[in-house]
Amino acid sequence: MINFSLPDAPCLAPLRKLAAERIIILDGAMGTQVQTFGLTEDDFQGDGSYDLKSNHPQQGNNDLLSLTQPGVIEEIHYRFAKAGADIMETNTFSSTTIAQADYGLEHAVYDLNVAGAQVARRAAERAEAEDGRKRYVAGAVGPTNRTASISPDVNDPGYRAVSFNDLRVAYGEQIKGLIDGGSDLILIETIFDTLNAKAAIFASFEAFAEAGVRLPVMISGTITDASGRTLSGQTPTAFWHSVMHARPFSVGLNCALGAAAMRPHIAELAGVSSSLICAYPNAGLPNAFGQYDETPEQTAAQVGEFAREGLVNVVGGCCGTTPEHIAAIADAVASFAPREISA
């Protein structure tokens, strides 16, 4: 249900104008920033003002914090905004019924997404009130913890733990909440299986039809290893041809690899895509303790090379990137023109 006759969201024109003037800055990692607050199970559960209706432990369910610790999430968004981010990603990476089943919170998905968008909006408006610079809210749609293209059972290659329609319904509920919460864009990210992404795209346009407006869609895949392919086996070029029908505002890569290893794959995408190119790598690869050691200066120098070579239109950070990383990245790309888009 790809209906391009719907009116565009009001944010599209100013975003296009901004993209023509300079490289747009995306924010950084939510999860590693949450860890710095040292929150306990009681913090995740909250003060009871939101009835979880679940007996499951919640520590680690970062998306829940938009409801139970909204001040913490707003502060993280605000710090990224003040570091230079133009686009704030909502704290909703796992806010689908599929992912929240691990916590017994399937019933809370709509509330998680509405709250996630509202918290990001408050931080964006707070920063704008201080410096006069407009920020935009991207409703973050993660890949779920299931794949539609690959069997999880090596003894039954035909088995699938989830169907396209299961994903479509789950994403649809999430995206409706993100729209109702006030998101400006939809960001379908960390895509390891393009069939999952296609379900999210389909669900997005169904939600747009219901809302009567078409939000810009950002699409970001993840290359999982040195093969240069997604988990489901696609090269960056094949990935682009699989999602180009959605006419995305941007297409790109995030997570998995640090900037150095990401560069050839971003260059490949930049060579074939007619959309803006977005890159937000991890702060290097995790160490033996799962922590990220790459400094803001190191990450920024590598992302700055993307900009110097004319490969990117939107840049930011994924796992391990802090407000300091985003500030350094913004500085590193400030003097370079955005990638030119071929007709």
Side-chain angles (χ1 to χ4, degrees):
M1 192 178 293
I2 305 293
N3 183 359
F4 292 107
S5 65
L6 291 168
D8 290 321
C11 68
L12 182 60
L15 276 169
R16 282 178 171 165
K17 182 176 184 293
L18 182 63
E21 295 170 350
R22 63 173 175 84
I23 294 172
I24 295 173
I25 306 300
L26 194 63
D27 62 5
M30 175 62 70
T32 44
Q33 287 300 291
V34 166
Q35 291 174 12
T36 66
F37 284 81
L39 302 178
T40 65
E41 176 66 23
D42 287 344
D43 295 318
F44 277 83
Q45 292 278 346
D47 61 6
S49 57
Y50 184 83
D51 185 2
L52 299 184
K53 301 176 184 175
S54 172
N55 294 322
H56 289 63
Q58 297 297 328
Q59 190 166 6
N61 186 9
N62 290 345
D63 295 22
L64 177 60
L65 297 173
S66 297
L67 287 168
T68 59
Q69 299 293 332
V72 169
I73 302 305
E74 181 180 334
E75 182 62 22
I76 293 171
H77 285 311
Y78 172 76
R79 292 176 186 177
F80 280 123
K82 295 299 288 183
D86 300 298
I87 298 177
M88 323 300 299
E89 304 168 68
T90 59
N91 179 40
T92 55
F93 185 84
S94 299
S95 293
T96 58
T97 51
I98 293 170
Q100 286 298 315
D102 291 344
Y103 298 99
L105 288 182
E106 300 97 316
H107 60 277
V109 159
Y110 177 78
D111 294 341
L112 289 172
N113 286 284
V114 171
Q118 290 175 338
V119 170
R121 173 68 63 203
R122 287 198 297 270
E125 291 178 351
R126 177 179 158 198
E128 183 181 1
E130 293 177 4
D131 59 24
R133 191 159 62 82
K134 176 70 175 176
R135 274 83 170 183
Y136 300 90
V137 173
V141 176
T144 80
N145 50 9
R146 298 182 191 173
T147 171
S149 295
I150 302 172
S151 173
D153 183 354
V154 295
N155 297 311
D156 186 0
Y159 172 71
R160 296 294 182 269
V162 70
S163 71
F164 182 93
N165 195 58
D166 292 336
L167 289 164
R168 168 187 154 263
V169 171
Y171 284 134
E173 186 173 1
Q174 176 177 32
I175 293 163
K176 175 176 169 50
L178 290 170
I179 293 173
D180 290 352
S183 296
D184 297 302
L185 311 93
I186 297 298
L187 169 59
I188 302 168
E189 65 171 338
T190 321
I191 298 161
F192 59 81
D193 181 349
T194 309
L195 190 56
N196 286 41
K198 283 177 172 286
I201 291 167
F202 192 90
S204 294
F205 278 85
E206 286 189 311
F208 299 162
E210 182 179 343
V213 64
R214 180 162 62 103
L215 276 60
V217 175
M218 303 175 70
I219 298 176
S220 185
T222 187
I223 301 297
T224 54
D225 57 36
S227 71
R229 295 173 181 267
T230 63
L231 184 64
S232 55
Q234 285 193 311
T235 64
T237 298
F239 175 65
W240 163 247
H241 286 289
S242 295
V243 300
M244 63 183 291
H245 66 285
R247 303 180 193 174
F249 175 73
S250 73
V251 67
L253 298 173
N254 74 289
C255 202
L257 305 174
M262 181 184 284
R263 187 236 169 254
H265 312 308
I266 282 291
E268 181 178 341
L269 262 183
V272 296
S273 174
S274 57
S275 294
L276 302 181
I277 294 294
C278 177
Y280 54 116
N282 292 346
L285 296 174
N287 61 27
F289 302 100
Q291 298 172 333
Y292 294 84
D293 299 324
E294 201 168 86
T295 67
E297 294 74 22
Q298 289 171 326
T299 303
Q302 296 171 78
V303 176
E305 285 302 307
F306 294 1
R308 183 190 300 277
E309 295 172 27
L311 300 178
V312 289
N313 305 94
V314 184
V315 295
C318 203
C319 301
T321 55
T322 65
E324 290 74 25
H325 284 81
I326 298 308
I329 288 170
D331 286 343
V333 305
S335 61
F336 300 111
R339 164 182 167 270
E340 294 185 7
I341 301 175
S342 57

